[in-house]
Amino acid sequence: MTTSPHALELLAIAVAAADSKGGEDLVALDVSNPLPLADIFFIVTGRSERNVVAIAGEIEDKLIEAGYKPLRREGRAAGRWVLVDFGDLVVHVFHEEERQYYSLERLWKDCPVIPTGIPSKLTVEDAAEEVAE
């Protein structure tokens, strides 16, 4: 695995933020070998359009609070698939139906899965501390 420590720090914050808004089926893929522009794809499922937007918004807000700015975002208006690009970390928040249809895990099946290792009720602050250790 060649994922950078910076990308793992971004991931820890994103995982805690997604979990705090009820994100489901959290999967992180190390795409650093086949994709030179990013280290990690973080994939999350939301139960409704509102939930998808809330999860993506919380991830973006918490990463901005931690000092990271998104390079771009797409899909927020529809709430079916929101993509937020933080450079080393690309966040994909899907509605359940879109997640099944696009099946990014299948498309990137050769990439190693990165264990998130964060318990369900861990706060964003605790996740940042865990990464610092």
Side-chain angles (χ1 to χ4, degrees), residues 56-71:
E58 184 72 1
I59 291 170
E60 188 172 350
D61 290 347
K62 294 303 181 185
L63 284 167
I64 289 171
E65 284 176 21
Y68 306 106
K69 292 188 179 189
L71 302 176

Side-chain angles (χ1 to χ4, degrees), residues 9-10 20 24 26 66 72 88 94 121-122:
E9 180 179 338
L10 293 169
S20 75
E24 299 176 352
L26 283 60
R72 68 182 182 149
D88 288 343
F94 285 100
K121 297 302 175 194
L122 191 63

Side-chain angles (χ1 to χ4, degrees):
M1 187 182 320
T2 58
T3 302
S4 71
H6 175 259
L8 293 172
E9 180 179 338
L10 293 169
L11 176 63
I13 295 167
V15 166
D19 183 60
S20 75
K21 290 296 180 183
E24 299 176 352
D25 300 324
L26 283 60
V27 174
L29 300 174
D30 178 353
V31 295
S32 60
N33 284 333
L35 195 61
L37 301 175
D39 282 354
I40 300 172
F41 276 3
F42 178 47
I43 306 166
V44 184
T45 299
R47 293 176 306 278
S48 66
E49 287 88 353
R50 273 183 104 162
N51 190 222
V52 167
V53 171
I55 294 166
E58 184 72 1
I59 291 170
E60 188 172 350
D61 290 347
K62 294 303 181 185
L63 284 167
I64 289 171
E65 284 176 21
Y68 306 106
K69 292 188 179 189
L71 302 176
R72 68 182 182 149
R73 74 183 68 76
E74 297 179 18
R76 195 173 207 149
R80 303 293 292 181
W81 177 3
V82 178
L83 181 144
V84 186
D85 183 354
F86 283 91
D88 288 343
L89 175 72
V90 178
V91 177
H92 301 269
V93 184
F94 285 100
H95 188 280
E96 293 169 301
E97 295 164 2
E98 275 69 12
R99 175 122 180 220
Q100 289 177 357
Y101 180 78
Y102 290 105
S103 188
L104 289 186
E105 295 95 331
R106 183 178 45 85
L107 293 173
W108 295 92
K109 68 182 176 194
D110 293 336
C111 295
V113 173
I114 300 169
T116 57
I118 297 179
S120 178
K121 297 302 175 194
L122 191 63
T123 67
V124 173
E125 292 77 20
D126 292 339
E129 287 177 30
E130 185 173 301
V131 169
E133 293 176 27

